[in-house]
Amino acid sequence: MNQNRLLSQSQIVFLYIGFSLVYISGLFIELMENDSAQHASMAMRMALNDDFFNIYKGENPYLDKPHMHFWLAALSMKFFGINHIAYRIPALLSLALAAFSTKKLADLLYGNENTSYVASLIFLSAQTIILSAHDVRTDAVLTGFVIFSIWQFVRFIRNQNVSSVILAGLGAAFAFSSKGLIALVIIGFCVFAYLLYSREWKKFFNVKIIIAAISFMVGILPILYAYYNQFGEKGIQFILFNQSVDRLTANGFEETSPDYLFFFHTLLWAFLPFSLAFYLGVFEKTAFFVKNKFKRKEGVEFLTLGGFWLIILVFSISKFKLPHYLNGLIGVLSIFTAAYLFELFKKDEIKKIRILYIIQLVVIFAGILGAGLITYYFIGITDIILYVVCIPIFIYLVIKIFRKENIFKKYVFVSLLFAIALNVYLNTQFYPILTQYQGSLRLAEFVNDNQVEKDKIFMLKGYEPWAFDFYTRRNTPRTEEDTLKKGDYLVIYDEDLKNLKKEYKIIDRENHFRITRLSLKFLDPKTRPKQYESIFLVEVLN
């Protein structure tokens, strides 16, 4: 048994091709409301108006997330047009950077190329990362620059390269410019955990680290200028302090979860298909470090485990918690998990891997059954691609499950193959049908197909059907009912239509459902109609 290989070279190539198919297929899914379509419409405004230093949500100044994600998306739209593929391209490139940086950081920490390839593939397989590539928000860009910066900082500590310290500072700056101080928390705690165990403080705190500080300051200047330009000193104070502190304390935000274990159980789905292996590894490696009183040992690293514990504890005390906050940490978790699986492999821990494999088979067959039920009850067979691509991958998955092979290698390969099979199915079959239940999208399609005068279309104040804005390629003005004139068109929900005082004629009516909040009642055809609200396009008659 080759103790240095969990995946063969041909398997690695095959899996990278498979994940390329997953991520590329996600480019073609129509945007989902709220955040993804909202962010796309905000970037679209920048591109249409050639105004990159003022950021708006609808018609209101947006004092929340930093500009980097919006800048990259807007620049992509300037090159490739206003469409959802262009919007997603920067996110896809950022995740490619993250996968590459994860591999390179694993190379530095473990010096085993097969371990680093497995870490990179585990990163690409994580369900939350795959979702972030098509349900695009700020997190994909954040993820890429965070793990890139950590890699460059460790590279600098190891080799003292000036280029590494410059890139580390710039990576941290771009990560900060994507989501604020949360990026520096992740980078800082991971580097601190590395230094805490390696004791290489002098290699970090020397005159060269000043270069990192300078490159960081230079890197954040565009963001600071943008905030000052639009919001003055209040904007500078917000991005340097208030933005992250307010989320930590839920000041100005609705408290999302008082559960201190929120992120621990969120990882069960977010880090699929390797979440259980990760948790088993965390338990064992934490016990190892405690038992050895954190004495330095050759060939052992603490960055991944220490970084996880420091960051997750800070995140867990936050009163404003969302699952995608974990995305910036996934690269580090992937390296930890790959290294732990290699340790089981080298020690021939057959009982542990059998338990993990049996549980994984339950997850896999539940996923296959779920895909079958969704096909039968919800989407039907609507695309020949289901046969051309999806079914052969699932068949190959089942064949690999029942083929006699080394169980350690089979666990890793089958788990990664399952992530590919399931997400190719979701991206090519499920999500394209699901997005059609967004009434705002269907209403935009009606406007485009029937050449309705877009300059005469309005919405009521406070409306947020962002998919309508993006797919009509126009930031629809929000207005009060009193300002509407004869011949104007109004996008309006059924609950407000009942109270509309103007005379009107219904031009189009669409069923609408918030598809990012799926429920069994919606998926069930018998109860689905009761889950809809209606969205209308009406013409004002007086």
Side-chain angles (χ1 to χ4, degrees):
M1 179 170 64
N2 188 336
Q3 294 292 322
N4 292 318
R5 282 187 172 273
L6 273 174
L7 294 174
S8 68
Q9 197 63 35
S10 61
Q11 285 177 325
I12 290 169
V13 172
F14 173 81
L15 290 168
Y16 274 121
I17 292 172
F19 282 115
S20 296
L21 183 60
V22 169
Y23 283 90
I24 290 172
S25 64
L27 287 173
F28 299 94
I29 303 167
E30 273 134 340
L31 296 178
M32 300 182 189
E33 292 180 350
N34 260 10
D35 285 357
S36 187
Q38 173 196 311
H39 289 183
S41 69
M42 293 166 64
M44 178 184 68
R45 176 188 286 272
M46 288 181 172
L48 291 176
N49 296 347
D50 287 319
D51 181 3
F52 288 79
F53 288 108
N54 291 288
I55 187 168
Y56 290 88
K57 176 183 174 182
E59 296 181 325
N60 301 311
Y62 183 73
L63 189 60
D64 193 352
K65 298 178 182 70
H67 300 58
M68 180 61 74
H69 159 64
F70 305 100
W71 282 345
L72 295 175
L75 287 171
S76 181
M77 291 180 201
K78 294 291 284 186
F79 281 106
F80 302 110
I82 308 295
N83 58 75
H84 50 251
I85 295 176
Y87 172 64
R88 290 187 173 110
I89 286 174
L92 189 63
L93 294 176
S94 296
L95 293 176
L97 173 65
F100 177 76
S101 300
T102 297
K103 186 220 177 285
K104 300 301 287 185
L105 178 59
D107 279 333
L108 284 177
L109 295 176
Y110 289 96
N112 181 335
E113 189 175 49
N114 207 245
T115 303
S116 60
Y117 277 125
V118 172
S120 176
L121 288 164
I122 289 174
F123 170 82
L124 291 171
S125 75
Q127 196 59 38
T128 188
I129 297 300
I130 293 173
L131 287 174
S132 74
H134 64 80
D135 188 21
V136 174
R137 310 175 191 192
T138 58
D139 303 282
V141 176
L142 169 77
T143 301
F145 288 125
V146 161
I147 193 66
F148 173 80
S149 181
I150 295 171
W151 162 41
Q152 292 298 329
F153 269 120
V154 174
R155 188 165 174 253
F156 160 67
I157 294 167
R158 293 281 185 91
N159 303 322
Q160 295 294 293
N161 291 334
V162 173
S163 60
S164 294
V165 81
I166 293 172
L167 291 173
L170 288 175
F174 295 158
F176 172 82
S177 301
S178 302
K179 202 150 186 172
L181 287 177
I182 186 175
L184 303 188
V185 169
I186 298 174
I187 296 167
F189 276 148
C190 286
V191 174
F192 175 73
Y194 177 84
L195 292 170
L196 195 64
Y197 191 74
S198 70
R199 319 290 206 269
E200 297 176 295
W201 300 101
K202 291 182 180 179
K203 288 187 176 182
F204 182 79
F205 290 107
N206 60 51
V207 69
K208 291 181 181 178
I209 200 65
I210 298 173
I211 301 173
I214 293 171
S215 65
F216 174 77
M217 290 304 300
V218 171
I220 67 171
L221 282 177
I223 286 292
L224 297 181
Y225 174 78
Y227 272 105
Y228 184 79
N229 176 72
Q230 187 173 7
F231 301 105
E233 292 181 5
K234 175 186 175 184
I236 300 292
Q237 181 180 349
F238 174 81
I239 189 56
L240 291 180
F241 182 75
N242 291 353
Q243 191 245 7
S244 294
V245 173
D246 286 350
R247 286 178 178 269
L248 186 68
T249 60
N251 181 27
F253 296 89
E254 182 179 351
E255 184 173 336
T256 54
S257 177
D259 181 6
Y260 290 115
L261 298 178
F262 174 85
F263 289 112
F264 289 92
H265 54 70
T266 295
L267 273 173
L268 286 173
W269 72 261
F271 199 51
L272 278 174
F274 290 97
S275 47
L276 289 179
F278 168 73
Y279 275 126
L280 182 60
V282 166
F283 175 79
E284 287 193 12
K285 298 304 288 184
T286 301
F288 165 82
F289 281 108
V290 171
K291 183 179 179 180
N292 287 275
K293 299 180 181 178
F294 293 88
K295 292 179 181 177
R296 188 177 176 185
K297 189 175 181 181
E298 194 66 31
V300 176
E301 59 87 16
F302 188 62
L303 183 155
T304 55
L305 181 65
F308 165 73
W309 276 119
L310 290 170
I311 293 160
I312 207 73
L313 291 175
V314 170
F315 282 9
S316 294
I317 64 172
S318 170
K319 295 182 179 180
F320 188 79
K321 303 182 182 77
L322 291 172
H324 54 268
Y325 284 11
L326 291 169
N327 286 29
L329 192 56
I330 296 298
V332 170
L333 306 192
S334 300
I335 297 171
F336 174 87
T337 306
Y340 175 68
L341 290 173
F342 263 90
E343 186 175 314
L344 293 182
F345 180 44
K346 290 178 180 179
K347 293 180 178 179
D348 201 23
E349 298 268 11
I350 195 74
K351 289 183 180 179
K352 291 176 185 176
I353 202 66
R354 276 180 180 164
I355 293 171
L356 286 173
Y357 187 60
I358 290 169
I359 295 173
Q360 195 75 302
L361 289 181
V362 173
V363 173
I364 288 171
F365 284 112
I368 294 173
L369 177 62
L373 291 173
I374 286 173
T375 300
Y376 182 79
Y377 282 106
F378 184 63
I379 62 175
I381 298 173
T382 61
D383 197 323
I384 195 66
I385 253 182
L386 182 64
Y387 294 98
V388 175
V389 178
C390 298
I391 294 300
I393 298 176
F394 276 109
I395 291 173
Y396 182 50
L397 172 63
V398 173
I399 290 172
K400 291 296 292 184
I401 288 171
F402 289 104
R403 183 176 290 173
K404 287 187 178 181
E405 293 179 22
N406 177 281
I407 192 171
F408 294 92
K409 297 181 179 183
K410 186 157 71 167
Y411 171 78
V412 174
F413 185 76
V414 164
S415 299
L416 293 167
L417 185 59
F418 169 65
I420 292 170
L422 182 63
N423 283 285
V424 166
Y425 167 80
L426 292 174
N427 285 359
T428 61
Q429 306 304 314
F430 178 62
Y431 292 127
I433 299 299
L434 183 65
T435 55
Q436 295 306 305
Y437 288 89
Q438 292 184 135
S440 52
L441 170 61
R442 300 298 296 272
L443 206 64
E445 291 172 346
F446 175 87
V447 167
N448 293 333
D449 292 343
N450 291 273
Q451 298 181 335
V452 179
E453 288 186 74
K454 295 178 184 178
D455 289 342
K456 291 187 176 182
I457 300 177
F458 298 88
M459 295 182 194
L460 296 178
K461 291 282 188 181
Y463 265 42
E464 297 187 350
W466 304 112
F468 182 85
D469 280 8
F470 185 76
Y471 285 101
T472 55
R473 295 177 177 81
R474 174 176 177 263
N475 295 105
T476 309
R478 274 63 169 174
T479 188
E480 303 289 349
E481 180 184 339
D482 295 342
T483 65
L484 295 171
K485 305 185 296 294
K486 181 179 178 180
D488 287 342
Y489 297 93
L490 183 66
V491 175
I492 189 168
Y493 292 108
D494 48 3
E495 60 184 24
D496 292 318
L497 186 62
K498 299 172 186 176
N499 301 318
L500 189 64
K501 297 175 184 177
K502 298 276 187 179
E503 288 188 37
Y504 62 87
K505 177 174 69 174
I506 295 176
I507 305 300
D508 186 39
R509 174 189 175 276
E510 301 289 348
N511 292 325
H512 182 71
F513 182 78
R514 180 79 173 270
I515 61 173
T516 52
R517 296 177 179 175
L518 283 179
S519 65
L520 290 176
K521 288 183 178 180
F522 172 73
L523 292 174
D524 187 342
K526 295 178 182 178
T527 55
R528 188 179 306 147
K530 293 183 180 179
Q531 306 306 306
Y532 296 136
E533 61 179 327
S534 295
I535 187 169
F536 296 85
L537 180 69
V538 302
E539 181 180 2
V540 177
L541 299 179
N542 70 342

